[in-house]
Amino acid sequence: MKENEKEPVDLPENAFRELEEGEEYNPIMSPGREYREVTPWSVSWGIVMAVLFSAAAAYLGLKVGQVFEAAIPIAIIAVGLSTGFKRKNALGENVIIQSIGACSGTVVAGVIFTLPALYIIPGLSAGFLQVFLSSLLGGILGILFLIPFRKYFVSDMHGKYPFPEATATTQVLVSGEKGGSQAKPLNQARPLIFAGLVGGIYDFLLSTFGWWSEVLTTRILPFGDAVAEKAKLVFKVNTGAAVLGLGYIVGLKYSLIICAGSIFVWFLIIPGFDLFWGDTVLQLNSGDTALTVSQMSPEQIFTTYARYIGIGGIAMAGIIGIVRSWGVIRSAVGLASKELKGKTSAVQSGVKRTQRDISMKILFFSIVVTLITIFLFFYFGVIHNFIQALIAFVVVSVIAFLFTTVAANAIAIVGTNPVSGMTLMTLILASVILVASGLSGKEGMVAALIIGGVVCTALSIAGGLVTDLKIG
């Protein structure tokens, strides 16, 4: 078929369902053909998308602590660009644009949950090279650790895992390749343009004219203020466009889960502290506290005590994730060890293009080189003590590997990566181990945060990569 002719494109009937025994899935982009994928067009536009969406993801993540998934809007833009510039059969290029651009949110998520604390906590400091290398090495490690699990998640579990984000992104890319009215640039861009205008006008009225407060609270009423002081009950809601849009992207289910957590802490935990320990000065992680619980405002009770309960819950969720994924870890390690002992290469003439993996020998060598580099980074750039750097290296290696399957499994099932909980678990373990090894104080805090940055970036990249592999 000629390059300028539009190929018929449609998803196979078994694209999203579980395969029958002996049934084979044949993707749209045939394994027996070569397509335009990595080209100057796709790489350059992918980098542009990564820059733009990195800024947006960083802003939203630092503001509300949640990073949105950029794959779907980038896929819409990629389809609009290829259609607008009349590029035929651009599905492969659009996949690459989406893959490169969507890395923006994963890298940002790996940074914002840990490294900002280096600048928030008084007395701590870190150089640009430390921040850059922690993100770079963590990203490389996450990619390498996920490769042994590719076949399990992408091929063996086809139709068994829903892959919500990968499914939605695939449908956007395919609809753009079909042609017709649904692929016109204006139709593809109209929702983004309209949403951007509405959000911009909304925030402009909010911040410029102050017609209403960004955070609405029951304290604006005398009755609500009295209830907050006496019963420690207060209701708040953020009305910013970014938060409203984030709730729409996350979906009703997970918005309700987040809301349920807020209701639990503000309507049960905080009033409960006042009810049971109202006349007590509780010294929990706050030795400078001289007020009794009843003398504190609800906001002070939350900051001083209640939020640590949420942190513990998130950390326990990470442990549960490892336990549930243990079978997957054992299976992938077994397959990798068999190939390392065998004499066959992973790339053979009889293997389909879509089923080729990097040779396990090359992968093993790459992992070893990356881990050695991480150890040298810790020793020369962060800790400067051989034993403590070795301990930090072991913590990163073990936790990043174990949590990689947790991240991939979460993305495959619910489309959301619980990277913040796994990072908190990493910070807790790293802090305890480093203190036990004799590293404490400001140096210990910096080391723990750098370790958390490496692990967090690795897990975030691993979760994003499994989505890209499923789309591809």
Side-chain angles (χ1 to χ4, degrees):
M1 185 172 289
K2 295 182 179 179
E3 179 79 6
N4 60 353
E5 292 180 359
K6 195 80 170 179
E7 294 184 10
V9 175
D10 204 357
L11 283 169
E13 176 272 333
N14 58 357
F16 303 121
R17 67 166 174 81
E18 190 172 344
L19 301 179
E20 302 290 341
E21 186 176 352
E23 186 180 6
E24 189 174 348
Y25 175 68
N26 295 309
I28 293 176
M29 298 176 65
S30 173
R33 289 190 52 190
E34 298 293 333
Y35 296 86
R36 287 183 316 189
E37 295 181 271
V38 182
T39 63
W41 167 271
S42 62
V43 172
S44 58
W45 276 112
I47 293 174
V48 170
M49 294 297 106
V51 172
L52 293 176
F53 281 85
S54 289
Y59 168 77
L60 190 60
L62 292 172
K63 184 177 177 65
V64 300
Q66 181 75 35
V67 177
F68 64 90
E69 302 295 342
I72 296 175
I74 291 176
I76 294 173
I77 294 173
V79 169
L81 287 170
S82 62
T83 308
F85 285 91
K86 302 186 184 304
R87 295 183 69 85
K88 304 296 183 181
N89 304 320
L91 181 58
E93 290 180 316
N94 291 340
V95 170
I96 297 301
I97 293 174
Q98 177 276 138
S99 296
I100 297 175
C103 289
S104 56
T106 57
V107 175
V108 166
V111 174
I112 64 167
F113 291 129
T114 53
L115 299 183
L118 293 169
Y119 305 95
I120 295 173
I121 300 175
L124 300 189
S125 63
F128 169 79
L129 195 60
Q130 289 177 310
V131 175
F132 172 74
L133 287 177
S134 66
S135 302
L136 175 65
L137 295 173
I140 295 173
L141 191 65
I143 292 172
L144 295 175
F145 275 167
L146 182 69
I147 291 174
F149 301 99
R150 182 206 68 85
K151 186 174 183 296
Y152 172 82
F153 283 106
V154 175
S155 180
D156 294 349
M157 302 303 291
H158 178 85
K160 298 178 182 178
Y161 285 155
F163 279 96
E165 187 185 5
T167 299
T169 306
T170 299
Q171 290 172 334
V172 169
L173 293 169
V174 171
S175 69
E177 194 68 10
K178 284 182 180 179
S181 61
Q182 61 180 321
K184 291 181 180 178
L186 182 60
N187 288 344
Q188 293 289 344
R190 185 180 288 118
L192 291 178
I193 295 173
F194 180 74
L197 287 174
V198 171
I201 294 172
Y202 182 91
D203 271 353
F204 176 76
L205 295 174
L206 177 66
S207 59
T208 305
F209 298 102
W211 287 0
W212 61 91
S213 174
E214 183 177 6
V215 179
L216 296 179
T217 172
T218 52
R219 285 183 177 272
I220 61 176
L221 301 173
F223 173 77
D225 189 54
V227 171
E229 293 302 323
K230 299 297 183 181
K232 309 302 178 186
L233 279 172
V234 61
F235 176 80
K236 294 182 179 182
V237 59
N238 191 309
T239 62
V243 179
L244 294 174
L246 179 65
Y248 184 86
I249 294 173
V250 171
L252 180 62
K253 178 180 179 181
Y254 292 99
S255 295
L256 288 175
I257 291 174
I258 295 171
C259 183
S262 296
I263 292 173
F264 180 72
V265 71
W266 287 99
F267 292 173
L268 292 177
I269 297 296
I270 292 176
F273 266 93
D274 181 58
L275 180 64
F276 292 103
W277 299 287
D279 299 327
T280 307
V281 178
L282 297 177
Q283 301 289 352
L284 301 177
N285 299 311
S286 52
D288 296 332
T289 300
L291 299 175
T292 64
V293 174
S294 62
Q295 291 174 326
M296 293 182 175
S297 66
E299 292 82 2
Q300 288 176 311
I301 297 175
F302 171 78
T303 304
T304 309
Y305 308 117
R307 66 176 177 178
Y308 293 106
I309 297 175
I311 293 172
I314 293 174
M316 181 53 65
I319 296 176
I320 294 173
I322 289 181
V323 174
R324 288 182 174 179
S325 300
W326 188 251
V328 180
I329 297 172
R330 186 173 53 189
S331 174
V333 171
L335 290 174
S337 62
K338 286 181 181 178
E339 184 176 334
L340 281 173
K341 295 176 182 177
K343 297 181 180 180
T344 58
S345 173
V347 181
Q348 302 174 4
S349 57
V351 178
K352 294 181 179 180
R353 175 180 60 86
T354 54
Q355 293 299 325
R356 294 174 188 166
D357 279 326
I358 296 176
S359 168
M360 283 298 165
K361 295 179 181 178
I362 297 176
L363 177 63
F364 181 76
F365 175 77
S366 301
I367 292 175
V368 170
V369 170
T370 303
L371 291 175
I372 291 174
T373 306
I374 290 175
F375 170 75
L376 295 175
F377 167 59
F378 285 156
Y379 182 60
F380 291 105
V382 182
I383 299 178
H384 310 295
N385 179 286
F386 182 83
I387 299 299
Q388 292 169 347
L390 184 62
I391 292 173
F393 160 77
V394 172
V395 170
V396 167
S397 304
V398 174
I399 294 180
F401 179 74
L402 292 178
F403 275 141
T404 293
T405 57
V406 179
N409 202 58
I411 288 289
I413 296 175
V414 299
T416 303
N417 193 345
V419 66
S420 59
M422 294 183 288
T423 302
L424 283 173
M425 189 67 206
T426 302
L427 290 174
I428 293 170
L429 289 176
S431 299
V432 171
I433 294 172
L434 289 175
V435 169
S437 68
L439 184 61
S440 59
K442 293 180 179 179
E443 291 184 357
M445 286 190 284
V446 171
L449 289 170
I450 294 294
I451 291 172
V454 174
V455 173
C456 188
T457 307
L459 302 180
S460 184
I461 286 289
L465 180 60
V466 76
T467 295
D468 290 334
L469 293 174
K470 187 62 178 178
I471 294 171

